Amino acid sequence: MCGIVGYIGAQQAAPILLEGLARLEYRGYDSAGIAVLGARGAAKVVRRVGRVHALAAAVPAKTSGRVGIGHTRWATHGVPSETNAHPHASADGRIQVVHNGIIDNAAALRARLTAEGVELASETDTEALAHLIARANEDTLEAAVVAALAQVTGTYAIAVVDAATPDRIVVARNGSPLVIGVGEREMFVASDAAALVRHTSSVVHLEDGELASVTATGFRTFTREHEDVAKTPTTVELTVEELELAGHEHFMHKEIHEQPSSVERMLGGRLDDRFGSARLDGLRMELRELRGFRRVKVLGCGSAYYVGQLGAGLIEDLARVPADAEPASEFRYRNPVIEPDTLYVAVSQSGETADTLFAVREIQRKGGRVVGLVNVVGSSIARQCDGGIYLHAGPEVSVASTKALTHMSVGFALLALALGRVHDLSHADGARILAGLQALPGQIAEILADEETIAEAGRRLADARSLFFIGRVRGFPVAREAAQKFKEITYRHAEAYPSSELKHGPLALIDADLPTVAIIPDDGLVGRNLAAAHEIRARGGRLTVITHPGVDLGDLEADRIDIPRNEPELDPILLTIPTQLLAYHAARALGEDIDRPRNLAKSVTVE
Ligand code: F6R
């Protein structure tokens, strides 16, 4: 979704802003722009619809100035267009604003400004903010921003510059992330530390309700009540290499192939052989507390929700504690009953998904305890939760998530194990799961080594206009996530069903043009799953079967993908891996923009 970058220091701002915006491209956007302030005079503003490289080509080489702000926009109020792109300016062009989030009372503010004689240049909510700041009648930019924000309801991260005082950038945060990057006699601001990776790893996170005045030599953070807030920079562990393709054609491919080593890293130090359990200090919970929970509720959005469903299954399997998953986006709006003996688990790669964050706050307001399974360290959800398990997947650039989801399911396995071992899971069973977890990195590598078989099957699926993905019980969340991945990057219609539900309706759609990917692990349901596959084949449906060696498909005609066996509870983690490659190779055969699927954003920071 939208991205913000700002620079103030001794270097030329424009190239730094453009490079930072390029690093935020993965978040999804439809237009981009920068405003650069010289020593005096008006801001130089360039905005373009489309990619950052188009913007870079449009920025005159002589654009000089050591202060500036930049933005990638994902349209909410108003179509993607040059006039709706940020930065937005006051009538005299003095104030320039970039904004992430949504101003809820924008219509009323725009109407009021129009009534007062202001001519609005765009259809956006952000422009109102620029006019409010310019008209605030305050002595300093900081005070003017505070006065303007007092009239605004909604979510925002903003960066503001004033051509009359080109020695500072004023930023504010409410519900959308914002960091200050600390350099040597230069400072940065960004909505995502990834934008700053080439310049600094020292960052300060703003909290909701906080502002900062950033100059070339330092920063001052304060509240909307003008009270100073002391902040100490923290170090982000992010390297330039992690954000580059490293020889892969796409980030999605790179991230799929990182999984053996990233999962190994994630498990490091967390497996407790002595007690046959998981070591999860980040939960900040005594064993007795952990034992006290009678129920687990998992909340996440999109793929994180599907993995949440897989995780709830793992928890029920290992801990015998009732567990279920629900889309966070629905949960927070249905006035849920919050119970003190329920452990709530928020799951998110980015840690910034607005619906998940607001669900966490709703639970906490009503006295519930929430732990997070989050990838991005220091993200809003990670900081909001009462404890959690960092996923340590490393940065994920591809919009379609792969390795972070695998890490989520491994995170759930660790949580399930820890919960199980304070309930009825025996030491022997705990040790069995530990061994299974230890085997995962090698087994993922084994699956990836057979990429060509999977790629061929994926290419054969590329011509279908519509597909089914089916699985049962443990296999159903796998099918749901597989369908999601396929549709996101191939733009093919893909739907997941429990295999058991086929004959209750969807079977009517099966014919030679609607292939099915069937998840058939060698578990107690293998016979029933095979029967469903035969029913599909009997109606002329094409099949791709993901299964275990030794499963006898008989005369079933199908593309077969075998994966190594782990423990039955952990098999879903491995069953998901080939589905990532199926989607990837189908999309590649179709020539789609795999890392940046249309209409999607990496981090959904608006509701
Ligand atoms: C799918 C995908 C999305 C995210 C969802 C939640 O590939 O990436 O469905 O899973 O938007 O995002 P996070 O995990 O950042 O909360």
Side-chain angles (χ1 to χ4, degrees):
M1 241 160 207
C2 307
I4 289 177
V5 186
Y7 174 77
I8 182 161
Q11 303 187 60
Q12 287 299 333
I16 293 174
L17 297 176
L18 291 167
E19 190 237 346
L21 292 181
R23 296 223 175 264
L24 296 183
E25 283 195 297
Y26 76 98
R27 298 176 69 99
Y29 69 104
D30 44 55
S31 51
I34 60 168
V36 174
L37 301 183
R40 70 177 72 86
K44 293 153 206 135
V45 181
V46 186
R47 302 180 292 182
R48 282 294 177 275
V49 174
R51 290 286 152 88
V52 171
H53 62 75
L55 173 71
V59 173
K62 59 178 183 346
T63 303
S64 162
R66 300 175 198 280
V67 186
I69 52 177
H71 191 259
T72 45
R73 172 175 188 254
W74 198 79
T76 54
H77 285 62
V79 295
S81 69
E82 206 164 301
T83 39
N84 285 337
H86 300 211
H88 286 286
S90 56
D92 57 4
R94 186 170 63 80
I95 301 292
Q96 298 285 337
V97 181
V98 292
H99 164 223
N100 289 355
I102 293 181
I103 294 173
D104 294 333
N105 60 340
L109 292 172
R110 286 175 59 92
R112 199 186 83 204
L113 286 162
T114 308
E116 289 170 7
V118 175
E119 271 186 39
L120 295 167
S122 75
E123 303 164 277
T124 65
D125 50 346
T126 307
E127 188 190 344
L129 204 47
H131 294 293
L132 292 177
I133 295 168
R135 295 159 74 83
N137 203 15
E138 297 282 349
D139 292 341
T140 63
L141 181 60
E142 290 81 349
V145 171
V146 170
L149 290 179
Q151 303 168 62
V152 158
T153 56
T155 55
Y156 52 79
I158 56 167
V160 186
V161 289
D162 180 349
T165 48
D167 61 346
R168 70 197 59 196
I169 305 173
V170 174
V171 295
R173 170 191 165 136
N174 188 45
S176 269
L178 200 89
V179 297
I180 302 169
V182 181
E184 275 286 314
R185 279 191 289 275
E186 59 182 0
M187 300 287 286
F188 307 82
V189 298
S191 51
D192 179 336
L196 311 181
V197 68
R198 200 175 276 286
H199 305 284
T200 180
S201 58
S202 175
V203 300
V204 171
H205 292 270
L206 282 199
E207 300 291 342
D208 284 351
E210 290 178 351
L211 299 93
S213 178
V214 183
T215 64
T217 50
F219 65 93
R220 180 175 74 85
T221 39
F222 53 99
T223 65
R224 284 184 288 220
E225 291 72 41
H226 293 282
E227 278 164 22
D228 283 1
V229 186
K231 296 262 178 193
T232 321
T234 54
T235 305
V236 283
E237 279 159 24
L238 203 58
T239 61
V240 176
E241 295 71 46
E242 284 177 306
L243 298 173
E244 318 244 283
L245 281 165
H248 292 264
E249 199 179 332
H250 299 98
F251 280 104
M252 183 176 178
H253 193 258
K254 177 186 179 215
E255 286 155 11
I256 290 172
H257 279 268
E258 279 170 350
Q259 294 176 112
S261 57
S262 66
V263 168
E264 182 147 17
R265 185 178 63 226
M266 176 185 183
L267 292 173
R270 283 173 161 163
L271 305 184
D272 185 344
D273 288 324
R274 184 157 158 234
F275 293 108
S277 185
R279 219 176 277 119
L280 299 173
D281 300 338
L283 290 180
R284 297 192 208 126
M285 240 178 250
E286 299 293 328
L287 293 184
R288 195 181 315 161
E289 277 177 283
L290 204 54
R291 192 179 156 72
F293 292 113
R294 308 251 56 92
R295 212 181 307 277
V296 177
K297 179 90 184 174
V298 182
L299 298 158
C301 292
S303 293
Y305 156 58
Y306 299 141
V307 179
Q309 205 180 25
L310 190 158
L314 261 163
I315 290 167
E316 287 204 345
D317 267 348
L318 296 182
R320 305 306 298 151
V321 172
D324 72 339
E326 187 176 334
S329 47
E330 289 290 290
F331 173 85
R332 55 178 289 236
Y333 282 111
R334 66 168 180 81
N335 195 18
V337 177
I338 304 299
E339 297 161 310
D341 57 357
T342 295
L343 175 64
Y344 294 89
V345 184
V347 58
S348 174
Q349 186 286 128
S350 62
E352 301 296 348
T353 301
D355 282 316
T356 310
L357 177 61
F358 290 129
V360 172
R361 290 186 181 150
E362 181 69 13
I363 295 164
Q364 288 173 330
R365 179 177 300 116
K366 294 179 172 168
R369 181 95 175 252
V370 198
V371 296
L373 258 65
V374 176
N375 191 35
V376 177
V377 175
S379 56
S380 303
I381 296 172
R383 284 181 297 135
Q384 184 73 44
C385 285
D386 304 302
I389 305 173
Y390 272 124
L391 302 177
H392 295 309
E396 197 177 62
V397 175
S398 159
V399 166
S401 183
T402 53
K403 67 170 174 168
L405 299 177
T406 300
H407 280 236
M408 284 176 195
S409 35
V410 173
F412 276 115
L414 293 170
L415 181 62
L417 180 58
L419 273 169
R421 291 289 295 127
V422 292
H423 284 89
D424 291 334
L425 193 74
S426 67
H427 186 283
D429 267 332
R432 176 176 67 79
I433 296 298
L434 280 184
L437 285 167
Q438 267 158 335
L440 282 176
Q443 291 181 319
I444 297 173
E446 233 180 280
I447 297 170
L448 298 180
D450 197 19
E451 178 164 2
E452 199 35 49
T453 308
I454 306 169
E456 238 171 77
R459 287 192 284 268
R460 270 198 286 274
L461 293 174
D463 62 0
R465 271 198 307 118
S466 192
L467 305 91
F468 281 175
F469 287 78
I470 58 168
R472 264 191 103 157
V473 188
R474 289 183 187 130
F476 180 51
V478 176
R480 290 187 97 182
E481 169 46 25
Q484 164 100 329
K485 206 83 315 152
F486 206 91
K487 74 180 98 171
E488 281 183 305
I489 57 170
T490 65
Y491 311 142
R492 297 303 193 225
H493 171 242
E495 257 187 283
Y497 287 104
S499 330
S500 51
E501 282 290 301
L502 277 184
K503 52 181 158 317
H504 298 293
L507 207 52
L509 288 174
I510 295 288
D511 62 18
D513 296 327
L514 190 137
T516 299
V517 177
I519 311 296
I520 310 188
D522 190 8
D523 59 13
L525 292 168
V526 65
R528 291 186 187 282
N529 275 325
L530 285 173
H534 276 286
E535 280 172 29
I536 290 168
R537 195 64 209 111
R539 282 152 187 85
R542 279 195 285 144
L543 277 162
T544 304
V545 174
I546 304 178
T547 188
H548 286 129
V551 169
D552 183 4
L553 298 188
D555 58 359
L556 188 72
E557 220 181 291
D559 278 346
R560 176 178 184 140
I561 298 165
D562 279 312
I563 64 152
R565 285 161 202 272
N566 196 296
E567 296 301 326
E569 297 91 336
L570 301 180
D571 279 335
I573 302 177
L574 293 173
L575 287 161
T576 308
I577 307 293
T579 70
Q580 303 170 342
L581 286 172
L582 277 181
Y584 174 80
H585 284 286
R588 188 167 174 271
L590 291 165
E592 300 300 352
D593 189 355
I594 293 182
D595 287 331
R596 286 184 288 244
R598 69 183 181 212
N599 305 339
L600 296 180
K602 184 65 183 163
S603 139
V604 186
T605 49
V606 296
E607 295 173 66

